[in-house]
Amino acid sequence: MRRAREIVGLPVLCLKNGNQIGWVKDVVFDESSRKISGILLENAHIFHSEKGLPREVVAAVGKDALTVRDHVVQKIQGIKWSQKVGNQVFTQGGEAKGTIEDVFLDDSAENIVGFEVSDGLFSDLMDGRGAILQADVMVDGKDVLIVEDQVSPWDQGNEGGSLS
């Protein structure tokens, strides 16, 4: 498992011609499938904010670089990672659980596995950050994440807890 934050800032290398074509500026998620739809590049003067590389051309997401099979630029639909960070997390009963600090991805960096949640700096220092698994999410809206009432990001076991 990896965090979306670890991908942002990686150099993007093209396997077809060996060129570095930019850096990862943002990761874009398809809201309906809960998968990565593409990446936006930092090489901004030739890319508009909604244009980037589709997930299908990504060959690998390594520790030090992201490699792509071809340099194919197209409009990427979905919500950006940078737009998810800071969104509030609530239970269906209306209890605040904190804010999203990061998005957890599977090892292939293709699917959303869950969310890293913070309840503020003091709580982060005392208890660490928590996690909400994708299976516990009822609604993943534009501004808020709504989870089942019994879910707590800081409980261990099946009801959330630390994924780190």
Side-chain angles (χ1 to χ4, degrees):
M1 183 170 9
R2 59 189 326 148
R3 290 174 168 85
R5 182 179 310 277
E6 297 168 355
I7 298 171
V8 174
L10 288 179
V12 179
L13 311 174
C14 182
L15 297 176
K16 188 173 184 178
N17 60 23
N19 293 336
Q20 178 174 332
I21 57 176
W23 293 267
V24 177
K25 178 179 181 180
D26 216 331
V27 179
V28 182
F29 304 104
D30 180 305
E31 297 168 273
S32 60
S33 69
R34 313 303 310 142
K35 293 180 178 280
I36 292 180
S37 55
I39 60 164
L40 302 179
L41 298 179
E42 186 98 16
N43 208 355
H45 70 278
I46 56 174
F47 296 105
H48 302 296
S49 62
E50 71 277 353
K51 289 198 173 186
L53 299 167
R55 178 62 180 92
E56 299 80 46
V57 301
V58 175
V61 181
K63 185 181 94 173
D64 301 314
L66 184 140
T67 58
V68 294
R69 289 182 270 289
D70 201 358
H71 187 170
V72 177
V73 177
Q74 67 185 44
K75 185 173 182 177
I76 306 295
Q77 299 280 343
I79 187 161
K80 298 175 190 172
W81 166 79
S82 59
Q83 293 171 316
K84 293 299 295 174
V85 172
N87 283 4
Q88 292 282 323
V89 179
F90 290 94
T91 65
Q92 67 187 36
E95 182 182 346
K97 292 293 185 177
T99 59
I100 296 174
E101 291 298 321
D102 211 343
V103 178
F104 291 119
L105 306 170
D106 60 6
D107 290 332
S108 66
E110 198 165 337
N111 300 296
I112 295 176
V113 176
F115 300 91
E116 183 177 45
V117 178
S118 169
D119 198 23
L121 178 62
F122 184 73
S123 178
D124 288 353
L125 293 172
M126 297 300 293
D127 303 319
R129 290 186 174 162
I132 301 278
L133 298 176
Q134 182 62 41
D136 295 323
V137 174
M138 296 180 66
V139 178
D140 186 357
K142 180 181 174 226
D143 300 318
V144 297
L145 190 72
I146 299 175
V147 298
E148 297 175 7
D149 282 334
Q150 73 274 14
V151 173
S152 173
W154 291 271
D155 288 343
Q156 296 297 321
N158 296 332
E159 298 179 0
S162 178
L163 290 175
S164 355

